[in-house]
Amino acid sequence: MRGSDYAELKAFAAVAEQGNFARAAARLGMSPSALSQTIRTLEERMGIRLLNRTTRSVAPSEAGRRLLARLLPALADLDQAVADVAALRDRPAGLLRINAPRVAIVHRLAPLVAPFHAAYPDIALDIIVDDKLSDIVAERFDAGIRLGEMVEKDMVSVKLGDEMRLVVVASPDYVARRGMPETPRELRDHACVASRWPTDGSLYHWEFERGDEKLEVAVSGPLSTTDNDLMLRAALDGVGIGYLFEEHVTDHLAAGRLVRMLDDWTPPFPGFHLYYPSRRQMPPPLRAFVDFIGRRRSRS
């Protein structure tokens, strides 16, 4: 059905119900002359008279009564469908699919699940662990989470948390055996737990910055992995030096199970961002989640 067809049929139903062009026009928010022309166009297109008109009254013809009997339930269903969709703006419901790396889920998304569910009980979250930076559009996700510096420029992004920091750590046992590096370059002479990019498996060169000086160090050691928990376990067990998110090791540092090093070379950097393709016609569950994040950030 074309939009003009719907408008003509709705106009016919209004005139038939009201029995008067002026009252029907006022209900539809149009002039009586425009409404009269709409009805004439409909009758000409259908090739049959739908309304009998006199100077005092308007009533459906036999064809008009038959059409009206089928038309009124259909229009009611359409109006209800539109109202149901509009209601989602105030009572969002449905599925929200989010793609995120494991570390973002642990430190950023997991604490949001319970309060978001309490605020929007009709929205179901489908959170997929993905460290490979998949294309969220091609994979049919509503949104993804990445470090701010890795979000594509054509995406809309919303800051999900505070700045983050990577820290260089080792066990006290390792430091007692091998000593502590004084500069990032000295890491080449140490056993390090190397990390691999999950996208292509290449080794990550540890990045450092102090003032205007920036360094990348290609570390090596007895273990390389893409798993942060395994890196942490290896550092705790004295296998080598690890380079991990500060939030991942806070408790171990406080308990003395790990010691930090090269602190002045590891400044904070932009943290994780929620990102999605466009602000236009956002799915109601995504709109609700973006608004929810915004409210939490405004209170913090």
Side-chain angles (χ1 to χ4, degrees):
M1 179 188 292
R2 299 173 305 174
S4 59
D5 295 343
Y6 176 76
E8 290 171 358
L9 291 170
K10 199 169 180 71
F12 161 70
V15 175
E17 287 185 299
Q18 296 294 322
N20 182 282
F21 272 89
R23 287 196 298 269
R27 176 179 166 184
L28 295 170
M30 59 194 303
S31 69
S33 60
L35 177 56
S36 180
Q37 180 59 49
T38 298
I39 297 300
R40 280 196 298 271
T41 300
L42 175 63
E43 290 177 327
E44 289 171 2
R45 186 165 56 79
M46 296 189 71
I48 193 168
R49 178 176 289 276
L50 299 174
L51 293 169
N52 292 320
R53 307 164 179 81
T54 69
T55 55
R56 292 195 237 174
S57 66
V58 178
S61 65
E62 178 59 26
R65 283 194 295 272
R66 292 189 181 188
L67 175 60
L68 193 64
R70 301 286 297 273
L71 183 60
L72 289 177
L75 288 175
D77 285 345
L78 285 171
D79 288 342
Q80 186 59 55
V82 172
D84 289 346
V85 171
L88 292 177
R89 293 176 299 185
D90 302 316
R91 192 183 67 252
L95 183 67
L96 176 59
R97 300 190 71 230
I98 299 176
N99 173 300
R102 184 179 301 277
V103 66
I105 291 173
V106 172
H107 296 296
R108 290 293 180 263
L109 267 185
L112 299 179
V113 171
F116 181 73
H117 174 67
Y120 299 98
D122 296 326
I123 296 177
L125 290 171
D126 184 16
I127 299 173
I128 304 300
V129 178
D130 180 10
D131 292 312
K132 295 186 177 181
L133 307 181
S134 296
D135 183 335
I136 60 170
V137 175
E139 299 295 330
R140 300 180 182 274
F141 287 95
D142 297 299
I145 295 175
R146 290 185 189 174
L147 291 172
E149 63 201 53
M150 302 183 76
V151 175
E152 299 291 342
K153 299 299 183 185
D154 60 346
M155 291 287 175
V156 181
S157 69
V158 177
K159 194 172 183 181
L160 195 56
D162 297 329
E163 289 184 321
M164 301 190 74
R165 191 178 186 189
L166 285 167
V167 291
V168 184
V169 295
S171 68
D173 174 65
Y174 178 89
V175 174
R177 287 186 288 108
R178 300 288 302 270
M180 187 177 293
E182 298 295 328
T183 70
R185 292 181 179 87
E186 293 179 22
L187 288 169
R188 297 189 181 99
D189 300 322
H190 281 265
C192 295
V193 182
S195 54
R196 291 188 178 276
W197 288 105
T199 50
D200 59 9
S202 62
L203 285 171
Y204 166 60
H205 291 185
W206 292 7
E207 299 170 279
F208 298 95
E209 181 177 344
R210 186 173 65 178
D212 295 331
E213 189 175 3
K214 296 182 179 181
L215 293 174
E216 288 189 8
V217 180
V219 300
S220 61
L223 173 66
S224 60
T225 180
T226 60
D227 187 81
N228 285 325
D229 289 334
L230 180 55
M231 291 182 218
L232 173 59
R233 183 74 264 165
L236 287 167
D237 291 343
V239 173
I241 296 173
Y243 200 25
L244 294 151
F245 283 106
E246 187 172 37
E247 291 170 287
H248 209 174
V249 297
T250 299
D251 292 343
H252 298 294
L253 290 169
R257 292 187 289 269
L258 291 173
V259 295
R260 58 198 304 163
M261 51 191 71
L262 301 174
D263 237 18
D264 55 341
W265 283 94
T266 58
F269 54 87
F272 285 108
H273 284 60
L274 180 83
Y275 69 100
Y276 49 93
S278 172
R279 285 191 178 91
R280 295 185 58 205
Q281 298 178 330
M282 291 171 61
L286 177 58
R287 175 79 271 171
F289 192 64
V290 171
D291 291 344
F292 173 78
I293 293 170
R295 290 195 299 271
R296 287 180 69 89
R297 289 200 59 78
S298 66
R299 292 197 298 265
S300 62

